Amino acid sequence: MDLTEFFQCPRCQSPFANYTHESLTCNCCKKVFESTDGIYDFVAGEATTQLDQIDYDQFYNISDIPTSLCSQLRTAANGRWPQSFGKTLEIGAGTGGFTMGLARDWAGQCLVVTDVSVKMLRVCRERLNRLGLLNPVRVAFASYDGKQPCIRSGSFDTCVGTSVIHHITDVELFLQDLVRVLSPNGIAFFVEPNRRYHQALSATLADIVVYLLSSGSSASDHDIILMGNLVAEIRCNLLHADDIAFLETREDKHMFIAEEIEATGFRCGFSTAEAIAIDCDPLGQSTLSVYLGQCGVTVPMATRVLALLPDYASRYMRLLSPNEQSPSYLLWFTKGQGVVQVKMPAPRPDTENIPAQNGADAAMLRCWIDVNLNLEAGTLHIHVCGWCVAIPELAWLELSVAGQAFHFPIWLPRTDVFSVVQKVGIYSTVNALCCGVKGSSVVGSGEHATQLSIAASILTMRGEDILKAAPFIVKRGGAAVISK
């Protein structure tokens, strides 16, 4: 396979003049990109993934036995599935869980396999080699994170990926570049998480955790802690779905709403954009079973939770429409020719006329947050630890210090707090369970500062400050408490 047909120099976007199995050389700037273990590294350490820090295959149960995902996608795509994928680019291949099916079952001219991690690509390449699927004429490997302009325009007929877009911070920019990469009439499809489904599932699990706590389980029980963490992780991404700066710090950045990602696809230049339900799991039994196993919840506890699921799922899961009863969507995009007709997003509910919560009393705010100010290695650090719960969903604790605003997300699981505050019965289960806040920030050089005036705000998802408290003084080496 001649990779000069697909790749260009990411430094100057010039064609590669020379291709060997050992290197690619830029025709203009003469930059050389070498192949190591059959993998061309265009990322070169400029991007990383936290998934490199775990045993990826063990965590996601990936083995040399191919999954049924390819056949599931073919069924979901129905008449959209082409007879040939032509020149194919796989983005975010990981260790090859889906690549096996592509290399064996799909009909195409050639396959270029990419991922941000060279480590994972090496495992993927070794896996294909073990299975006899590594044909150097048809399969090539390169590192790519969606940002390097290393792929030539119009060079691929098909782009595919599983669980990749939700790791990308700027989805719209990625899809725009995908339009550039595809040839006319090209297709792109991805398997990505469904936001409404996960919101319903996390609310269901939160109710089950609460039942277990009321039935004798201890808040310090390891299984309870693990399930609380799972609820909180999902809630955190839901709360901060539009906060790009915050999501940049997280490995999993997005979940998708069908009509929103479809509208984004049209805005980016695709002629069709569809979010299609795959592998429907209406009550969440299969999905939750996988998640509990990945979290390390013991088999007896997981069995008990799944037995309770049908009773509690009716509160949330049965409210989902048929197209929302799947943990994942098959996102299917096609690039047409000529003028693209832009499809506008479906109208959203009018939130401007929703009455605002008028302060802490109306929101039933309760909080206890320790604020410490310490001089560490010549710099002043502010540390916060505590909890806050209210009727509206809370997003941030904001501390304004010396003209700077520091934000700490409110999302950590606090089963100890839940067992107390929920006795009044006015808070949603998720709000009361995921009410913890903890973190630290560097205020600045503090060698001459003996005390600081701090203004605190507790912000809802809509950005409203429901604390409305007067500033307070914290001495260096001292502490203060925000309580309500």
Side-chain angles (χ1 to χ4, degrees):
M1 186 191 308
D2 185 358
L3 292 185
T4 60
E5 180 181 355
F6 305 109
F7 291 103
Q8 62 188 13
C9 177
R11 176 185 288 181
C12 65
Q13 289 83 67
S14 297
F16 285 115
N18 185 32
Y19 164 70
T20 69
H21 291 294
E22 290 76 33
S23 65
L24 285 166
T25 304
C26 176
N27 188 41
C28 181
C29 69
K30 307 304 179 183
K31 171 71 176 176
V32 177
F33 295 86
E34 296 184 348
S35 168
T36 303
D37 298 327
I39 301 165
Y40 292 90
D41 187 8
F42 295 111
V43 174
E46 293 181 8
T48 59
T49 171
Q50 296 174 20
L51 298 177
D52 264 347
Q53 309 306 315
I54 64 173
D55 187 332
Y56 189 88
D57 283 0
Q58 181 179 15
F59 187 82
Y60 289 105
N61 195 28
I62 296 175
S63 69
D64 286 356
I65 301 174
T67 69
S68 60
L69 184 56
C70 271
S71 62
Q72 289 175 334
L73 298 186
R74 184 191 298 268
T75 300
N78 202 1
R80 304 170 185 82
W81 201 262
Q83 290 185 344
S84 173
F85 286 117
K87 301 169 184 176
T88 305
L89 171 68
E90 184 183 11
I91 301 174
T95 59
F98 186 63
T99 315
M100 289 184 286
L102 282 177
R104 188 181 66 175
D105 300 331
W106 120 112
Q109 181 178 341
C110 58
L111 172 64
V112 176
V113 183
T114 68
D115 194 275
V116 65
S117 168
V118 172
K119 173 184 174 182
M120 289 192 189
L121 286 175
R122 189 175 294 114
V123 174
C124 177
R125 191 174 187 277
E126 291 170 353
R127 170 165 284 128
L128 294 189
N129 189 43
R130 278 197 307 272
L131 297 174
L133 300 173
L134 186 59
N135 183 342
V137 177
R138 299 185 68 214
V139 182
F141 297 83
S143 67
Y144 171 63
D145 73 345
K147 296 178 181 178
Q148 285 83 14
C150 60
I151 300 178
R152 299 183 64 173
S153 297
S155 54
F156 287 99
D157 304 306
T158 307
C159 291
V160 304
T162 58
S163 299
V164 58
I165 299 183
H166 75 273
H167 291 299
I168 296 172
T169 303
D170 194 330
V171 173
E172 193 152 341
L173 186 63
F174 170 76
L175 292 180
Q176 288 172 358
D177 195 57
L178 203 59
V179 173
R180 178 189 66 81
V181 166
L182 285 171
S183 61
N185 299 318
I187 64 172
F189 62 90
F190 300 88
V191 178
E192 299 297 337
N194 174 348
R195 187 191 303 181
R196 289 187 178 121
Y197 184 93
H198 283 83
Q199 187 168 17
L201 187 64
S202 64
T204 300
L205 181 57
D207 278 4
I208 293 174
V209 169
V210 169
Y211 169 77
L212 294 172
L213 288 170
S214 68
S215 303
S217 294
S218 169
S220 60
D221 182 281
H222 189 57
D223 284 333
I224 295 293
I225 293 172
L226 292 175
M227 289 188 289
N229 288 340
L230 174 58
V231 172
E233 284 288 341
I234 295 174
R235 181 178 184 271
C236 184
N237 277 21
L238 292 170
L239 278 175
H240 301 285
D242 299 317
D243 190 337
I244 297 300
F246 177 73
L247 294 175
E248 182 69 50
T249 66
R250 297 177 63 80
E251 182 68 29
D252 294 332
K253 296 174 173 56
H254 306 284
M255 295 180 188
F256 299 97
I257 292 176
E259 60 268 25
E260 292 183 358
I261 189 61
E262 288 172 351
T264 301
F266 281 110
R267 281 199 309 273
C268 292
F270 285 105
S271 58
T272 69
E274 301 170 272
I276 307 163
I278 54 173
D279 195 21
C280 287
D281 185 19
L283 297 184
Q285 289 175 309
S286 297
T287 305
L288 188 56
S289 176
V290 171
Y291 287 168
L292 294 177
Q294 290 177 345
C295 291
V297 173
T298 62
V299 173
M301 176 60 81
T303 302
R304 187 179 180 189
V305 169
L306 294 173
L308 291 168
L309 186 60
D311 293 331
Y312 285 89
S314 61
R315 303 181 184 181
Y316 309 101
M317 303 299 290
R318 289 197 172 100
L319 299 178
L320 297 171
S321 69
N323 193 49
E324 295 168 347
Q325 293 177 354
S326 167
S328 299
Y329 284 127
L330 170 60
L331 304 182
W332 194 275
F333 305 99
T334 61
K335 176 180 176 178
Q337 294 180 329
V339 179
V340 174
Q341 298 295 321
V342 178
K343 178 181 176 182
M344 297 306 294
R348 299 184 182 182
D350 182 9
T351 58
E352 296 302 320
N353 296 322
I354 298 177
Q357 296 287 351
N358 187 20
D361 292 335
M364 292 300 294
L365 173 67
R366 298 292 179 266
C367 65
W368 185 279
I369 305 168
D370 291 312
V371 181
N372 293 270
L373 199 63
N374 297 320
L375 186 64
E376 302 170 12
T379 58
L380 206 56
H381 290 69
I382 192 166
H383 301 273
V384 300
C385 183
W387 57 270
C388 41
V389 63
I391 292 176
E393 291 187 312
L394 303 179
W396 297 101
L397 165 68
E398 179 184 274
L399 299 182
S400 298
V401 185
Q404 301 180 77
F406 301 93
H407 292 87
F408 305 92
I410 302 167
W411 67 283
L412 296 171
R414 290 292 299 261
T415 51
D416 56 334
V417 174
F418 172 87
S419 61
V420 176
V421 302
Q422 191 62 355
K423 289 180 180 178
V424 298
I426 60 173
Y427 305 111
S428 74
T429 302
V430 174
N431 283 10
L433 184 64
C434 304
C435 60
V437 56
K438 184 177 183 180
S440 62
S441 289
V442 176
V443 178
S445 177
E447 295 179 349
H448 304 293
T450 58
Q451 64 181 32
L452 290 175
S453 174
I454 299 177
S457 299
I458 294 177
L459 305 178
T460 68
M461 282 187 65
R462 298 177 63 194
E464 298 157 344
D465 176 14
I466 60 172
L467 181 61
K468 301 183 184 299
F472 56 91
I473 299 295
V474 180
K475 295 182 179 180
R476 192 176 74 189
V481 173
I482 303 170
S483 65
K484 184 69 178 178

